Amino acid sequence: MRKILKNAAVLVLSFALAGMILTGCGEGKEEIRQEPDAEISEENEQDFSEQPVAESVEDEDIGSVENEDIGPVDKAGEISEGYEDNFAVDSEAAKEFAAKVKEITAKKDLEALAELTAFPVYVGLPDVDVVETREDFLNLGAETVFTEKLMKSVEAADIEHFEPSMAGFSISDGGSSNINFGVVDGVLAINGINY
């Protein structure tokens, strides 16, 4: 996008300069001549006739957009790095993420929970420790992951008053069963489930 805007700006400035020269704005000045041995190389020559021209866009039209190839982009067009760590997450963002997790848990929607999870992930079930992939996580099954104790703890969790820690945030009623999340690669993601 920036390259297109830059090319359009160069094109406009070139036309303006050419117009000034042709209309005689330089009258009374020494005539500028190109030396015969100065040639434009093919490398420096550009054909602007086929270059796309960007449409005019107001600042408020440009929001934070997600580009699949480069990640989050802010209003200035810079690539956003996301959250630096758990302490950079504002309480509203933590609350919104926790609300999604609570809703998904109430529905026992393992697919949706997997979408919010960073792998590998700790799952503290008997005979399970670290689950390496999304597929392995889904293979555990909803009835195995969503135990009655975990569901009650998540349902009763207070998500209004999150305090970040090095480990992240815990969705819990205060007991040992909980779903933990935090910043993983700049975004919020589930990073542990305890029973």
Side-chain angles (χ1 to χ4, degrees):
M1 179 73 165
R2 287 183 188 182
K3 188 174 183 178
I4 293 170
L5 291 173
K6 185 177 178 181
N7 286 343
V10 168
L11 183 62
V12 169
L13 290 173
S14 297
F15 284 128
L17 183 59
M20 287 174 42
I21 293 171
L22 291 174
T23 59
C25 289
E27 287 183 14
K29 304 284 182 189
E30 183 175 294
E31 187 176 319
I32 300 173
R33 296 182 191 180
Q34 183 177 359
E35 295 299 316
D37 60 340
E39 294 181 21
I40 298 175
S41 70
E42 285 184 31
E43 294 174 43
N44 295 330
E45 190 175 325
Q46 293 183 349
D47 180 12
F48 289 104
S49 63
E50 294 181 21
Q51 296 289 328
V53 178
E55 296 178 19
S56 176
V57 180
E58 298 295 323
D59 281 348
E60 57 268 10
D61 292 340
I62 302 173
S64 179
V65 280
E66 181 74 30
N67 182 316
E68 293 175 340
D69 297 330
I70 61 173
V73 178
D74 66 16
K75 279 189 166 199
E78 298 297 320
I79 297 172
S80 172
E81 298 298 321
Y83 298 114
E84 185 177 325
D85 58 28
N86 295 321
F87 297 100
V89 178
D90 63 84
S91 60
E92 192 60 33
K95 178 182 168 182
E96 287 176 15
F97 188 87
K100 285 181 194 175
V101 174
K102 285 183 75 158
E103 181 182 333
I104 288 166
T105 302
K107 293 178 181 177
K108 292 186 175 184
D109 187 344
L110 195 58
E111 287 275 344
L113 195 68
E115 288 296 317
L116 298 179
T117 302
F119 295 99
V121 64
Y122 174 79
V123 180
L125 288 167
D127 300 324
V128 180
D129 189 27
V130 175
V131 178
E132 295 292 332
T133 66
R134 182 178 191 277
E135 183 180 336
D136 291 340
F137 183 71
L138 294 174
N139 286 338
L140 292 174
E143 292 304 316
T144 302
V145 173
F146 297 112
T147 65
E148 186 177 331
K149 190 175 176 182
L150 178 66
M151 291 188 63
K152 284 182 181 178
S153 180
V154 169
E155 181 182 0
D158 175 15
I159 62 171
E160 294 294 325
H161 304 97
F162 274 124
E163 290 294 326
S165 69
M166 292 293 285
F169 305 87
S170 185
I171 306 170
S172 170
D173 63 358
S176 60
S177 293
N178 55 55
I179 297 178
N180 296 314
F181 67 94
V183 175
V184 179
D185 295 329
V187 297
L188 291 175
I190 294 170
N191 55 17
I193 304 175
N194 297 296
Y195 295 89

